[in-house]
C-alpha cells in the first residue's frame, strides 16, 4: 500500500516572498511541491521555478557523491571518492595552511539558500574557530540597506499584506512579476480597487508593461529623480507639515539641497521629460495630501550603481515628506528583514574568534584571488570553501574571477547540488542536500512570517546538509567546543530567540508543526514616528553619514560609466548595459533545469531599433557585447522595451551553457557603490557589434 504524506516546507531561494510549501511524499519520494493555500502571503501560489522543484531535486545531474578533480582546473573532470577521503583531504590541507596563517583560508557563500541553519550557522562557527578571513557578503543588497538604514533606521517598511489597500504604488527599480510575485498579486488587487501603478525602470519589463505608466529613466539616475520629486513637493507645498515637524530631522537643510534640483535639471539628468517629473510629484504629493495611501515598493535594481546607496536613501525620504507613513498601506518597502529577532550571535558564534581576522569583500573576489601577499592585504588566499554560491557565474569582472579560481596553487572546495561553473574549478566537490532533504528555519525579506522547513525526504545519494559537513570537518580539525555538536534542530531552535526589543515568543517545535508565525509588528510601523535612527526620527539630515565621511543630505552621485559622467569612455562604449534577472532563473539557480532553460531559450540582448539600425544588427543576429573588461555573445532582440542607449541582457546564465562559455559578468566591473561596499552591476558601458562567428 502506498504511504502518502504532506510535509510543511519553505522555499529557500533568494526571493522576498519566502513561500510556504506543501510537499507531497509518496513512499519516500517527493511527487509534488505546491504553495500552501493557508499561508496568507503564499496563498497557494508558487512561481514557475519552484513549481518544478521535484524536477530540480531529482535532476539526473544531481551531485550524489564526493568527487576529486582529475583534469585541469576548469575542465570539470572528477572521480568519485569516499566521504572519509574527501574530509581527510580537506582537513589536512586546511590544517597545514592554518598552521601558517588561517587568514589564507576564505569562505565564499551567499544566498543559495536563505536558511538560517544551512546558511551561516555551523559553517560560520567553523570558520570563526579556524580564524579564517571573514567574507563581506555584499553582492546583492548592502548599498540599499545602508542608505535605507541611515534614513529610517532599519530594514522595515510597508507590510506586504497592506499593499492592496494603497491608491498609488510606485514600483521603483524592480520587476515583481519575475522576482516578487506575491507583491505583484497585491498590486494587481490594488489596481482592481482603483489604484494607479507606476513603474520606474530603465527597461520596460513584464511588470512595467502592465502598469498604468512607465517612466524609463537612464540607469543610475534614480537618486536624481527622487531629488527632483522632493523639489516639486516642497515648491508646490504638497507636504505633511505636521509629520515633518514631529517625526523628521533636517527639513530646512533638505529644502536648500533640493532647491537646485529643478524639474528641468532632473529631467535632463534622468533622460525623461519635465512633465514626467512634475506630474509624478503632483500625483504622489496630491494623493497623500488628500489622505490617500501612497506606497513605494523599491527593489535592489536601484542600488547596483555607483550612487546606489544614496538613491535608496533619497527615495526613502519621500514618504516622510508627504506623511505617507500614517497609513498602513503607505510608506516604502525595500526589505522587511529588520523586523525579525534573528539570533545571529547564537547561530554563528563570533566569540569563537581568538583575534579579529581580515575581511575580504565578495564583490572583489576577482582581484583578491589574484593578489599576492602584502603587508596591506595579508597572506595570499590559498584555499576557498564555496557553499550556497556560484562565484564563477555571478561575480563581476568574470575573467578575473576565472583566472583566480584557475590558480593551480589554490585549494578549492565546493559544496553543491550540481556541477556549476564554479564546481568545474574545484579540487574537492561535496554533494549537498536540497531543501527537501534537510531542516531549516527562515526569516523573510518581503513579509513578516518566521518560517519552518521540515525535511520531506531522505538525502539523495550520499548528499549531506552543509551543517553536517562542517560538523564533520570540525571534528577532524580537533575543535572541541560543544557548539560543534549542536544538531540542526538545536540550531533552528536558536534562530529567533533574541532577547531584545524585537523579542517574540518562539517555539521551534510549534513552528515546525504550523509552518509559519507572524511577527508582532504594528500595521503602520512609523505612523507616529518611532524610527530606529539615532534621533528617533526620519533623518533627512544624517549625522551618522557625516561621521562616516558621507554627504549627510540627499545627493546625486553620477554613475562611474555613463554618457554624461564619462564622455571619453562613452565615445568607445556608448551603450549602457543592465543585466536584471531572467524570469525563469533566480540568480544562477535553475539555469540547468531543462524546462526553465528552454523557456528562456538562449542568452539574449534586448536592443532598441535605433541602436540596432546604427550598427547593422537585425532581430535574431548573434551579437558581441564588449568593453575593456571582456566580451560575451548573445542573440539580439530588437525591441523598444530597452530605451535608446540601453541594452539589456537578462541573467544570470551559466557560462558553460552559453555558446561562447561566457555571460554578462564578463563586462561588469568590480567597482563599489558609494556606501555598503556593494557591486555596480548596472553601471556598465558597452559597445555591441554583429558577431562574426
Ligand atoms: S522563488 Fe519566490 S515566488 Fe518562487 S516559490 Fe520561492 S519564494 Fe515563492
Amino acid at each position: 500500500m502506498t504511504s502518502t504524506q504532506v510535509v510543511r516546507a519553505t522555499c529557500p531561494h533568494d526571493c522576498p516572498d519566502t513561500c510556504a510549501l506543501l510537499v507531497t511524499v509518496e513512499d519516500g519520494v517527493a511527487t509534488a511541491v505546491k504553495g500552501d493555500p493557508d499561508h496568507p502571503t503564499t496563498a497557494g501560489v508558487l512561481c514557475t521555478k519552484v513549481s518544478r522543484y521535484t524536477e530540480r531535486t531529482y535532476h539526473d545531474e544531481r551531485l550524489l557523491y564526493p568527487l576529486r578533480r582529475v583534469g585541469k582546473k576548469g575542465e570539470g573532470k572528477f572521480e568519485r571518492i569516499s566521504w572519509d577521503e574527501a574530509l581527510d583531504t580537506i582537513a589536512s590541507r586546511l590544517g597545514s595552511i592554518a598552521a601558517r596563517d588561517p587568514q589564507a583560508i576564505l569562505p565564499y557563500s551567499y544566498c543559495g539558500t536563505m536558511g538560517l541553519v544551512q546558511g551561516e550557522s555551523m559553517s560560520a562557527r567553523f570558520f570563526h574557530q579556524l580564524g579564517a578571513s571573514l567574507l563581506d557578503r555584499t553582492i546583492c543588497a548592502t548599498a540599499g540597506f545602508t542608505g535605507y538604514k541611515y534614513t529610517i533606521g532599519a530594514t522595515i517598511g510597508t507590510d506586504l499584506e497592506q499593499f492592496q489597500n494603497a491608491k498609488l504604488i510606485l514600483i521603483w527599480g524592480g520587476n515583481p512579476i519575475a522576482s516578487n510575485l506575491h507583491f505583484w498579486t497585491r498590486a494587481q488587487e490594488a489596481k482592481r480597487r482603483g489604484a494607479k501603478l507606476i513603474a520606474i525602470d530603465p527597461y520596460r519589463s513584464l511588470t512595467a508593461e502592465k502598469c498604468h505608466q512607465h517612466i524609463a529613466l537612464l540607469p543610475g539616475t534614480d537618486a536624481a529623480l527622487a531629488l527632483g520629486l522632493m523639489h516639486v513637493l516642497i515648491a508646490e507645498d504638497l507636504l505633511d507639515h505636521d509629520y515633518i515637524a514631529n517625526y523628521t530631522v533636517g527639513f530646512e537643510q533638505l529644502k536648500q539641497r533640493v532647491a537646485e534640483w529643478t524639474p528641468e535639471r532632473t529631467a535632463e539628468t534622468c533622460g525623461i521629460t519635465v512633465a514626467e517629473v512634475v506630474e509624478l510629484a503632483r500625483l504622489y504629493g496630491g494623493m497623500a495630501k488628500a489622505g490617500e495611501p501612497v506606497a513605494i515598493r523599491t527593489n535592489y535594481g536601484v542600488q547596483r550603481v555607483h550612487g546606489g546607496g544614496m538613491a535608496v536613501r533619497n527615495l526613502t525620504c519621500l514618504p516622510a515628506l508627504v506623511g505617507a507613513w500614517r497609513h498602513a498601506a503607505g510608506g516604502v518597502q525595500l526589505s522587511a528583514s529588520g523586523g525579525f529577532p534573528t539570533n545571529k550571535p547564537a547561530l554563528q558564534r563570533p566569540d569563537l574568534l581568538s583575534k579579529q581576522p581580515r575581511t575580504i569583500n565578495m564583490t572583489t573576489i576577482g582581484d583578491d584571488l589574484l593578489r599576492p601577499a602584502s603587508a596591506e592585504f595579508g597572506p595570499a588566499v590559498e584555499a576557498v570553501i564555496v557553499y550556497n554560491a556560484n562565484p564563477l557565474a555571478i561575480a563581476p569582472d568574470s575573467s578575473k574571477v576565472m583566472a583566480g579560481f584557475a590558480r593551480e596553487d589554490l585549494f578549492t572546495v565546493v559544496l553543491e547540488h550540481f556541477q556549476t561553473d564554479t564546481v568545474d574549478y574545484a579540487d574537492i566537490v561535496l554533494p549537498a542536500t536540497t531543501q527537501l532533504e534537510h531542516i531549516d528555519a527562515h526569516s523573510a525579506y518581503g513579509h513578516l512570517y518566521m518560517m519552518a522547513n521540515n525535511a520531506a525526504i531522505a538525502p539523495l545519494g550520499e548528499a549531506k546538509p552543509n551543517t553536517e559537513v562542517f560538523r564533520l570537518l570540525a571534528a577532524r580539525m580537533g575543535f572541541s567546543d560543544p557548539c560543534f555538536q549542536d544538531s540542526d534542530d538545536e540550531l533552528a531552535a536558536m534562530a529567533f530567540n533574541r532577547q531584545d526589543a524585537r523579542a517574540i515568543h518562539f517555539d521551534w517545535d510549534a513552528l515546525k508543526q504550523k509552518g509559519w508565525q507572524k511577527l508582532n509588528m504594528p500595521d503602520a510601523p512609523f505612523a507616529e514616528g518611532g524610527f530606529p535612527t539615532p534621533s528617533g526620527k526620519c533623518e533627512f539630515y544624517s549625522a551618522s553619514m557625516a561621521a562616516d565621511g558621507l554627504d549627510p543630505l540627499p545627493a546625486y552621485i553620477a554613475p562611474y560609466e555613463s554618457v554624461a559622467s564619462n564622455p571619453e569612455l562613452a565615445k568607445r562604449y556608448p551603450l549602457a548595459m543592465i543585466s536584471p534577472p531572467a524570469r525563469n532563473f533566480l540568480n544562477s539557480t535553475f539555469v540547468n533545469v531543462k524546462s526553465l532553460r528552454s523557456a528562456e531559450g538562449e542568452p539574449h540582448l534586448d536592443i532598441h531599433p535605433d541602436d540596432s539600425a546604427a550598427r547593422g544588427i537585425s532581430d535574431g543576429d548573434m551579437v558581441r557585447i564588449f568593453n575593456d573588461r571582456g566580451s560575451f555573445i548573445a542573440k539580439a532582440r530588437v525591441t523598444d522595451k530597452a530605451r535608446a542607449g540601453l541594452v539589456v541582457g537578462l541573467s544570470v546564465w551559466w557560462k558553460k551553457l552559453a555558446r561562447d562559455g561566457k555571460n554578462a559578468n564578463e563586462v561588469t566591473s568590480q567597482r563599489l557603490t558609494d556606501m555598503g561596499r556593494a557591486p555596480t552591476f548596472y553601471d556598465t558601458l558597452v559597445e555591441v557589434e554583429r558577431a562574426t562567428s
Side-chain angles (χ1 to χ4, degrees):
M1 203 163 88
T2 311
S3 105
T4 302
Q5 26 164 190
V6 175
V7 179
R8 290 193 180 282
T10 299
C11 175
H13 292 290
D14 185 5
C15 168
D17 298 23
T18 313
C19 288
L21 312 179
L22 295 177
V23 184
T24 305
V25 181
E26 296 178 49
D27 288 338
V29 176
T31 52
V33 176
K34 298 222 158 61
D36 186 340
D38 296 331
H39 181 238
T41 62
T42 306
V45 177
L46 301 180
C47 63
T48 46
K49 297 169 283 242
V50 174
S51 304
R52 316 268 168 93
Y53 220 65
T54 53
E55 187 182 342
R56 184 175 187 276
T57 304
Y58 296 108
H59 196 299
D60 57 10
E61 291 166 6
R62 265 289 297 274
L63 296 170
L64 298 175
Y65 309 101
L67 302 170
R68 173 175 44 212
R69 178 168 64 89
V70 292
K72 289 198 188 116
K73 291 213 172 186
E75 270 184 3
K77 291 192 184 148
F78 298 97
E79 65 181 5
R80 181 174 169 181
I81 55 174
S82 69
W83 269 102
D84 278 341
E85 192 175 356
L87 294 169
D88 287 345
T89 305
I90 297 166
S92 150
R93 204 58 196 268
L94 296 188
S96 64
I97 296 170
R100 292 194 302 280
D101 188 341
Q103 294 179 106
I105 299 166
L106 178 68
Y108 190 101
S109 67
Y110 199 63
C111 294
T113 172
M114 298 295 291
L116 294 165
V117 174
Q118 304 305 335
E120 304 309 322
S121 68
M122 198 56 78
S123 54
R125 294 175 177 189
F126 177 82
F127 290 113
H128 286 151
Q129 178 77 70
L130 190 60
S133 287
L134 301 176
L135 184 73
D136 201 0
R137 292 180 170 82
T138 57
I139 202 82
C140 182
T142 48
F145 265 39
T146 309
Y148 200 72
K149 287 206 245 183
Y150 276 135
T151 310
I152 62 169
T155 49
I156 293 172
T158 315
D159 184 350
L160 169 66
E161 292 177 79
Q162 297 292 339
F163 275 98
Q164 70 277 12
N165 300 319
K167 290 294 174 224
L168 171 68
I169 306 178
L170 309 187
I171 301 173
W172 198 327
N175 176 14
I177 292 179
S179 53
N180 189 189
L181 188 62
H182 298 81
F183 159 75
W184 180 244
T185 310
R186 305 260 169 182
Q188 280 184 303
E189 177 58 23
K191 192 177 174 188
R192 282 192 287 275
R193 297 179 187 183
K196 183 159 185 179
L197 309 185
I198 300 179
I200 301 171
D201 191 328
Y203 179 58
R204 201 171 76 239
S205 65
L206 285 171
T207 302
E209 289 197 323
K210 290 183 166 39
C211 288
H212 295 98
Q213 187 186 353
H214 172 214
I215 297 176
L217 75 184
L218 288 164
T221 65
D222 304 81
L225 178 57
L227 289 164
L229 295 177
M230 289 193 268
H231 174 103
V232 178
L233 292 171
I234 293 171
E236 302 195 3
D237 195 23
L238 296 167
L239 302 170
D240 183 332
H241 291 284
D242 179 66
Y243 196 92
I244 291 169
N246 287 304
Y247 307 129
T248 74
V249 288
F251 177 70
E252 286 306 319
Q253 293 106 310
L254 178 74
K255 190 172 168 183
Q256 283 180 22
R257 171 59 60 91
V258 302
E260 65 202 44
W261 282 93
T262 61
E264 291 73 22
R265 180 181 174 192
T266 305
E268 188 185 346
T269 305
C270 300
I272 57 179
T273 66
V274 171
E276 283 175 303
V277 179
V278 174
E279 284 167 17
L280 180 61
R282 285 181 182 157
L283 186 69
Y284 182 76
M287 288 182 73
K289 199 149 194 167
E292 304 276 27
V294 295
I296 301 172
R297 176 64 169 112
T298 189
N299 218 317
Y300 296 102
V302 166
Q303 45 101 68
R304 297 202 164 108
V305 293
H306 182 192
M310 194 64 92
V312 169
R313 164 162 168 68
N314 292 5
L315 67 86
T316 303
C317 290
L318 288 165
L321 273 182
V322 302
W325 289 115
R326 291 185 190 278
H327 302 272
V332 56
Q333 192 200 86
L334 170 70
S335 168
S337 61
F340 288 82
T342 310
N343 196 346
K344 285 191 181 169
L347 290 167
Q348 301 179 0
R349 298 289 307 271
D351 58 296
L352 292 168
L353 284 167
S354 56
K355 62 178 183 180
Q356 190 67 21
R358 69 170 168 196
T359 298
I360 288 182
N361 188 340
M362 69 191 305
T363 299
T364 55
I365 185 78
D367 279 344
D368 289 337
L369 286 184
L370 297 172
R371 226 181 273 285
S374 70
E376 187 199 3
F377 181 61
V381 178
E382 293 182 52
V384 189
I385 317 300
V386 181
Y387 52 103
N388 304 335
N390 183 9
L392 261 293
I394 59 91
D397 203 355
S398 202
S399 62
K400 289 202 176 143
V401 181
M402 192 174 77
F405 275 98
R407 276 176 40 202
E408 274 303 325
D409 61 335
L410 182 74
F411 179 62
T412 302
V413 177
V414 183
L415 286 65
E416 251 304 352
H417 302 144
F418 296 104
Q419 193 169 337
T420 60
D421 291 331
T422 304
V423 166
D424 286 345
Y425 288 81
D427 293 284
I428 302 283
V429 184
L430 302 177
T433 46
T434 68
Q435 187 78 342
L436 302 192
E437 300 153 62
H438 56 229
I439 67 163
D440 217 324
H442 288 254
S443 57
Y445 61 97
H447 64 60
L448 300 175
Y449 292 83
M450 300 181 288
M451 308 287 290
N453 183 73
N454 292 286
I457 56 172
L460 297 198
E462 294 182 3
K464 291 187 191 297
N466 291 350
T467 42
E468 181 62 7
V469 172
F470 288 105
R471 252 182 231 115
L472 292 168
L473 280 173
R476 275 174 169 74
M477 302 291 287
F479 297 167
S480 57
D481 191 292
C483 77
F484 292 105
Q485 307 293 326
D486 285 347
S487 69
D488 285 7
D489 264 314
E490 287 167 326
L491 289 165
M494 296 172 195
F496 301 113
N497 66 358
R498 207 170 80 200
Q499 296 306 317
D500 62 7
R502 300 228 173 282
I504 189 169
H505 175 72
F506 164 60
D507 176 338
W508 170 239
D509 288 327
L511 193 72
K512 280 204 295 186
Q513 293 280 322
K514 173 90 197 299
W516 66 86
Q517 178 186 340
K518 195 168 187 185
L519 303 177
N520 296 326
M521 296 273 287
D523 284 346
F526 305 129
E528 295 177 357
F531 293 95
T533 54
S535 65
K537 299 184 174 187
C538 173
E539 299 198 346
F540 299 142
Y541 178 94
S542 165
S544 307
M545 293 181 76
D548 292 343
L550 297 165
D551 189 334
L553 286 166
Y556 173 59
I557 297 163
Y560 291 112
E561 300 189 7
S562 73
V563 173
S565 63
N566 196 338
E568 278 308 306
L569 186 70
K571 280 184 196 156
R572 289 188 292 140
Y573 305 119
L575 298 170
M577 190 195 85
I578 60 172
S579 45
R583 185 178 187 177
N584 292 289
F585 305 155
L586 202 159
N587 303 331
S588 74
T589 309
F590 298 106
V591 183
N592 65 323
V593 176
K594 290 182 190 75
S595 60
L596 296 169
R597 190 166 75 251
S598 320
E600 288 298 325
E602 62 180 306
H604 284 96
L605 188 81
D606 285 3
I607 182 168
H608 190 274
D610 293 352
D611 294 322
S612 63
R615 292 164 176 78
I617 293 167
S618 302
D619 192 61
D621 281 351
M622 296 311 298
V623 291
R624 179 173 165 266
I625 303 100
F626 62 99
N627 60 19
D628 289 340
R629 291 178 285 270
S631 70
F632 69 104
I633 303 277
K635 185 182 264 190
R637 282 196 302 215
V638 177
T639 169
D640 65 0
K641 288 182 183 178
R643 55 168 292 158
L646 175 77
V647 291
V648 181
L650 298 177
S651 291
V652 177
W653 279 85
W654 284 17
K655 294 160 77 148
K656 65 167 96 177
L657 297 177
R659 63 175 77 189
D660 61 340
K662 295 177 177 178
N663 71 14
N665 281 322
E666 296 291 328
V667 297
T668 56
S669 88
Q670 295 181 69
R671 288 201 199 99
L672 302 180
T673 48
D674 54 340
M675 53 186 95
R677 310 163 306 284
T680 53
F681 289 112
Y682 301 171
D683 192 332
T684 301
L685 284 177
V686 297
E687 181 53 292
V688 178
E689 64 183 11
R690 283 181 64 175
T692 48
S693 59

